[in-house]
Amino acid sequence: MIQGPEPEATRRIAGATESSRASRHWWDRNADEYQLEHGGFLGDARFVWGPEGLDEAEAALLGPAGDLKGKAVLEIGAGAAQCSRWLAARGARPVALDLSYRQLQHARRIDEADETDEADRSGGGPAGAQGGGRVPLVQADAGRLPFADASFDLACSAYGALPFVADSARVQREVRRVLRPGGRWVFSVTHPVRWAFPDEPGPEGLTAASSYFDRTPYVEQDERGLAVYVEHHRTLGDRVREITAAGLRLVDLVEPEWPEWNTQEWGGWSPLRGRLLPGTAIFVCVAE
Ligand SMILES: C[S@@+](CC[C@H](N)C(=O)[O-])C[C@H]1O[C@@H](n2cnc3c(N)ncnc32)[C@H](O)[C@@H]1O
């Protein structure tokens, strides 16, 4: 394959349309590599909140697993829908939404392999999603959710969409709109404190190099100056204000510590940094 020139990394403004376009193309191009590299850690039907390896099975941030039965759940930035598959296996009715067609193709691939396994075991027809049926997939932008008001009991996102959107306040409003009052919304993002540090797993990632308060997006751009990858930063305070302004109540902020058992690096997340700095922030909210 002919490779183009390396994109240039910079910090500059990137609006909603440019960010969305860059993310869609980047995740379409990189979905295969992402699933190859992280699919083993994520499991086909595990619900893991981030590189520390905190499992929903243990954390129960969406509520006790026994209470998930029958609940309509929206997963945002679902990737290959591993979390949705875990929810379906507990009797929930998840919908997995992602901007990237290629990520969703991986979701379908896993469901189809699961159906084949089920059929081989039972000699019967398709089951999929670890016995929970095929996960419904929707390709859409988190900033414009194609669902009616109050159509979900719960919403969740493990590093999906929010680190990549220019208007994260809009995503919070959209989630509030599609949730029923009292519904939970739990999302994980890169811990805001990490913005100040280089994204390196080794000692070079331990020295603050830029301002935590600088919200200028991280952009990789091609030779024409078009963004090919964008990450947007919000401080902890920004996130709290966006949550409350959307009509959501923040009930917990979970900062998973790096566990002894996890020796695996994930990009700039590593046991070395994890012992010293928070890597993931998980916001637990309730629709008012
Ligand atoms: C880091 S991956 C996380 C995927 C999955 N939750 C996981 O844990 O593997 C981020 C996902 O967010 C999706 N995404 C990025 N921007 C989005 C947007 N504006 N709307 C919906 N999904 C988006 C990407 O396509 C990608 O699948």
Side-chain angles (χ1 to χ4, degrees):
M1 194 170 82
I2 300 167
Q3 300 280 349
E6 280 290 299
E8 173 205 13
T10 184
R11 298 278 289 271
R12 67 160 170 83
I13 299 298
T17 308
E18 186 181 23
S19 300
S20 178
R21 183 187 168 281
S23 289
R24 183 158 49 83
H25 290 303
W26 194 90
W27 285 99
D28 279 345
R29 275 197 314 279
N30 291 280
D32 293 4
E33 195 181 322
Y34 178 83
Q35 297 300 337
L36 191 68
E37 190 176 346
H38 302 298
F41 184 80
L42 293 168
D44 285 350
R46 183 180 166 198
F47 191 144
V48 59
W49 284 108
E52 296 81 8
L54 179 67
D55 259 298
E56 175 59 11
E58 173 196 339
L61 301 178
L62 289 165
D67 292 354
L68 293 170
K69 200 167 173 21
K71 295 270 164 64
V73 190
L74 175 62
E75 185 187 2
I76 295 179
Q82 288 92 345
C83 303
S84 285
R85 227 167 272 112
W86 182 87
L87 290 161
R90 271 138 203 91
R93 294 180 293 114
V95 173
L97 176 141
D98 202 283
L99 187 61
S100 159
Y101 182 70
R102 188 64 185 163
Q103 285 279 65
L104 294 174
Q105 279 189 317
H106 280 282
R108 193 48 79 230
R109 168 185 61 77
I110 295 172
D111 275 350
E112 284 171 1
D114 186 29
E115 283 175 3
T116 309
D117 290 351
E118 285 279 328
D120 286 350
R121 270 196 300 276
S122 66
Q130 316 288 310
R134 277 190 181 198
V135 176
L137 307 176
V138 174
Q139 188 187 11
D141 194 309
R144 203 180 290 266
L145 296 175
F147 306 105
D149 296 359
S151 40
F152 291 95
D153 301 302
L154 299 166
C156 60
S157 180
Y159 276 82
L162 279 159
F164 309 104
V165 296
D167 191 352
S168 47
R170 179 181 174 139
V171 175
Q172 300 292 350
R173 288 195 299 276
E174 276 292 88
V175 172
R176 170 62 195 90
R177 182 183 65 73
V178 302
L179 271 181
R180 299 187 181 119
R184 273 186 174 233
W185 159 228
V186 185
F187 66 93
S188 64
V189 290
T190 306
H191 197 292
V193 161
R194 287 174 59 97
W195 191 251
F197 294 85
D199 195 24
E200 299 289 344
E204 63 279 30
L206 296 176
T207 305
S210 60
S211 169
Y212 166 77
F213 300 103
D214 182 358
R215 277 81 158 179
T216 313
Y218 168 84
V219 177
E220 292 175 9
Q221 57 188 16
D222 65 16
E223 66 285 6
R224 293 165 299 169
L226 293 176
V228 293
Y229 179 84
V230 182
E231 265 185 45
H232 290 270
H233 170 57
R234 295 287 176 274
T235 66
L236 274 175
D238 293 340
R239 292 272 183 221
V240 173
R241 280 184 291 278
E242 289 181 356
I243 287 165
T244 52
L248 296 152
R249 185 162 42 89
L250 181 67
V251 294
D252 200 359
L253 170 56
V254 179
E255 298 164 291
E257 291 190 35
W258 197 277
E260 282 294 327
W261 61 262
N262 188 357
T263 53
Q264 211 166 311
E265 289 184 357
W266 178 320
W269 286 257
S270 65
L272 172 74
R273 297 183 77 193
R275 275 197 296 276
L276 299 168
L277 290 168
T280 298
I282 313 175
F283 294 80
V284 183
C285 316
V286 175
E288 304 255 63

